[in-house]
Amino acid sequence: APQLADERDRRRLVDALLPGRRQRRANTDPIGPYLDALGEIRLGLRDPAEVEEQRDDVEGLAELFAPYRARLADRGAIDFDEQIYGAIEALLADGELRRRLQARCRHLLVDEFQDLTPAHVLLLRLLALPALDVFGVGDDDQVIYGHNSADPAFLIEYAQLFPGAAAHPLTVNYRCPVQVVDGARTLLGYNHRRVDKEIHAGPSADPASDGLRVVEHGPDEAAETLVATVQGWLADPDVVPSSIAVLARVNSLLLAPQVALAEAGVPLISVLRPEVLDRTGMRAALAYLRLGVAGQAMDPRDITEVMRRPTRGLPQWFPDRLGRRTSWSIKDLRGLADQVPDKEGSKVLRLADDLALVVAAAHQGTTRDVLEAVRDDVGLGTAMTMLDRTGGGQGSSHLDDLEGLLGVADLHPDPAGFELWLRRVFGREADPDGVTLSTIHRVKGREWPYVLVHEASDELLPHRLATDVEEERRVFHVAITRSSTATVVVADANAPSPFLGELDAPGEPPRVIRSSNARGPAPT
């Protein structure tokens, strides 16, 4: 069987094939966009030149596409997308193979139809011809993988894809309490690209008024509000930790729930791993924190880590010069600036000035003060925004990583011990019977009695990098409908998600509870 190429293999292959003239820029991921674009071509069945023309971050993609596939074939390897794309090619090119397989595939049952891409749909049609007898089971309101070319149109226009098909809409939600079903129905009513249907709660659904609640918190109180909600559920002797799930829009925003719940003694099982601290934004922020604490004895390795985040145009020789000493002070760096040409000296002075800001924040303030100075005054937040725009995917936002770190800053305000404390919390053993922490995308199709949706706030739902608001609304719908007993949505009172106002259903709207210190307007 062919070897399956993982992401690291694919990155190396793309890097080896990229045009040598392409200029690399600091604070960007030059490979990620190409991996995404290769998926757009094969799963989206798009012309490589068209994909390259519509993007500004994949120069040479059209020339790279064929050699990339050839290199995979030469190595006896395939990637996930190639399995589908290659099967389509084989069926189109070999009539005998196509007829033989069609005779074996007279009736097809396809589950999770909402997750299919154009390539999957074409593969099904090729196999199902001539009768096109395909029984598809899917929910257009759960199409949340648009970045992989999934599209609700495949269910909306099912009869065109498979002529003669009859529709059997399922309009009863047997899982969720009445409040959740009503809120979800009203929320989805704002979407225009849907199968025409109206979902209602099952006859045994719990009609309690607290089946869906929105809990607002004040600035920097998200973790505290989350812990209080989970502990409130666990205060009931009939509620066990494994009956609770905490869901977030993106991976790094699970950092605060994981740390806060662990510190509160709540058993956990989480998709978040310590490796998140090694991602670009967090790694740089933690290096700045160490530099601030070190003051006049800064590690040259930490200076090297942050010297291009944000970009300062420092010369190539600079890391080598740093490595000649075991420690540096602000004064030492400014002295180095005097030893080089003025143009380069000014860049070294800018770095020294930035580090002086961080040292001052660490000396005078809290962990939050340092991280906010790094994000706002030094400019790491802007650098991570640049990286997000070139990084190829909203599910891997580096700015979210930085915000996730800020989300736990108040749980350990001493900057000197923050990183050690954070890594110690990550070192705790997972409990398979604990509260589940996960992203929304990972839990589609699963359910728990109690679900908390963490940080349903502006720029997260919908996500600031998203281009399809209707899909983001479907993501939120998936999140709130994972519960069979109760869903609590936690949001920043000063920046609530616009989707919260769309939850109001006929009759009693979901209750909005504000924590005692919450400030700012409630959502309408």
Side-chain angles (χ1 to χ4, degrees):
Q3 177 185 355
L4 185 63
D6 60 19
E7 182 175 345
R8 181 177 298 181
D9 296 330
R10 296 169 63 214
R11 281 180 170 272
R12 288 172 177 168
L13 181 52
V14 169
D15 193 38
L17 292 170
L18 283 173
R21 64 182 181 276
R22 186 180 52 84
Q23 183 178 0
R24 294 176 183 257
R25 297 172 56 200
N27 296 315
T28 62
D29 173 9
I31 307 299
Y34 286 87
L35 298 183
D36 279 354
L38 288 169
E40 289 183 51
I41 294 169
R42 290 177 293 174
L43 294 184
L45 299 179
R46 300 183 60 195
D47 181 83
E50 178 187 80
V51 174
E52 179 178 350
E53 183 179 352
Q54 290 184 355
R55 301 178 58 135
D56 61 2
D57 53 1
V58 287
E59 179 186 354
L61 174 69
E63 298 175 13
L64 174 144
F65 180 60
Y68 173 83
R69 299 186 68 212
R71 290 280 185 93
L72 280 178
D74 290 344
R75 298 179 183 183
I78 55 173
D79 59 22
F80 284 111
D81 298 345
E82 193 64 24
Q83 294 180 76
I84 307 301
Y85 197 76
I88 291 172
E89 283 187 326
L91 290 170
L92 291 173
D94 189 335
E96 178 57 33
L97 171 67
R98 185 171 65 251
R99 286 187 290 273
R100 188 166 67 249
L101 291 178
Q102 286 171 345
R104 295 171 55 186
C105 301
R106 295 173 59 189
H107 312 287
L108 296 179
L109 170 61
V110 184
D111 198 9
E112 303 291 350
F113 208 93
Q114 71 275 359
D115 296 339
L116 301 190
T117 68
H120 291 110
V121 173
L122 176 57
L123 181 61
L124 284 175
R125 283 169 53 84
L126 287 170
L127 290 173
L129 285 168
L132 291 174
D133 188 353
V134 177
F135 190 103
V137 181
D139 183 358
D140 59 302
D141 291 328
Q142 295 192 59
V143 177
I144 62 174
Y145 300 120
H147 57 281
N148 286 335
S149 300
D151 194 322
F154 301 141
L155 284 163
I156 298 170
E157 301 167 2
Y158 193 88
Q160 298 177 38
L161 294 169
F162 305 99
H168 302 279
L170 304 178
T171 59
V172 179
N173 181 323
Y174 291 97
R175 171 199 296 161
C176 301
V178 173
Q179 281 279 303
V180 169
V181 177
D182 288 348
R185 180 176 61 250
T186 309
L187 172 77
L188 291 171
Y190 286 82
N191 278 0
H192 300 291
R193 298 182 70 230
R194 295 183 68 210
V195 172
D196 186 20
K197 62 186 179 301
E198 188 169 279
I199 308 299
H200 296 278
S204 60
D206 188 346
S209 61
D210 60 353
L212 175 63
R213 293 185 293 137
V214 176
V215 178
E216 294 185 342
H217 61 79
D220 313 325
E221 294 175 349
E224 176 186 338
T225 304
L226 176 142
V227 171
T229 302
V230 172
Q231 288 182 327
W233 281 329
L234 292 174
D236 184 335
D238 294 328
V239 177
V240 296
S242 60
S243 67
I244 300 172
V246 175
L247 308 180
R249 173 63 181 80
V250 292
N251 200 52
S252 55
L253 292 181
L254 293 169
L255 186 62
Q258 180 160 332
V259 171
L261 289 171
E263 287 291 89
V266 176
L268 301 170
I269 181 168
S270 175
V271 300
L272 196 64
R273 295 291 179 263
E275 289 77 18
V276 71
L277 301 181
D278 295 325
R279 283 176 49 82
T280 302
M282 288 201 189
R283 192 173 69 242
L286 291 173
Y288 272 117
L289 194 65
R290 292 191 297 269
L291 291 166
V293 170
Q296 302 308 306
M298 294 181 290
D299 191 320
R301 292 170 296 184
D302 287 334
I303 301 176
T304 300
E305 177 66 45
V306 306
M307 57 178 274
R308 294 190 176 94
R309 299 186 179 97
T311 302
R312 298 180 175 90
L314 287 160
Q316 295 293 328
W317 55 260
F318 189 67
D320 178 67
R321 184 70 65 89
L322 289 175
R324 297 178 186 178
R325 303 183 57 147
T326 57
S327 67
W328 289 80
S329 67
I330 303 298
K331 181 179 179 181
D332 295 331
L333 286 172
R334 287 177 172 150
L336 176 59
D338 293 335
Q339 303 170 21
V340 299
D342 290 346
K343 182 178 179 181
E344 295 180 344
S346 63
K347 297 173 182 178
V348 176
L349 286 176
R350 180 191 167 194
L351 173 63
D353 290 343
D354 286 343
L355 294 181
L357 285 172
V358 178
V359 170
H363 179 70
Q364 301 168 6
T366 64
T367 302
R368 171 171 292 279
D369 293 329
V370 179
L371 293 176
E372 287 183 343
V374 168
R375 181 192 64 187
D376 302 331
D377 301 330
V378 173
L380 184 60
T382 300
M384 293 303 97
T385 298
M386 285 180 56
L387 184 54
D388 284 339
R389 290 171 179 167
T390 63
Q394 58 186 278
S396 183
S397 168
H398 297 281
L399 184 58
D400 287 337
D401 291 346
L402 194 53
E403 295 299 327
L405 202 57
L406 275 161
V408 298
D410 297 323
L411 300 177
H412 196 97
D414 176 15
F418 176 79
E419 183 176 359
L420 182 62
W421 163 81
L422 184 59
R423 294 188 183 278
R424 176 178 58 79
V425 173
F426 261 124
R428 295 178 185 175
E429 188 173 349
D431 186 334
D433 296 318
V435 172
T436 296
L437 271 62
S438 181
T439 60
I440 300 168
H441 282 82
R442 287 174 178 261
V443 298
K444 188 171 68 67
R446 299 180 63 187
E447 66 177 270
W448 292 263
Y450 301 91
V451 167
L452 185 148
V453 182
H454 177 61
E455 286 299 78
S457 301
D458 192 27
E459 295 203 337
L460 294 176
L461 281 165
H463 195 278
R464 61 181 167 274
L465 298 181
T467 57
D468 186 343
V469 173
E470 290 203 358
E471 178 167 311
E472 289 293 291
R473 192 174 282 113
R474 293 192 292 268
V475 171
F476 187 41
H477 157 255
V478 167
I480 65 174
T481 55
R482 296 309 92 196
S483 72
S484 58
T485 301
T487 293
V488 168
V489 180
V490 175
D492 186 336
N494 290 327
S497 165
F499 294 155
L500 298 184
E502 299 174 358
L503 287 172
D504 291 349
E508 287 293 320
R511 287 195 296 138
V512 175
I513 299 176
R514 306 187 67 189
S515 63
S516 58
N517 295 323
R519 294 181 291 275
T524 57

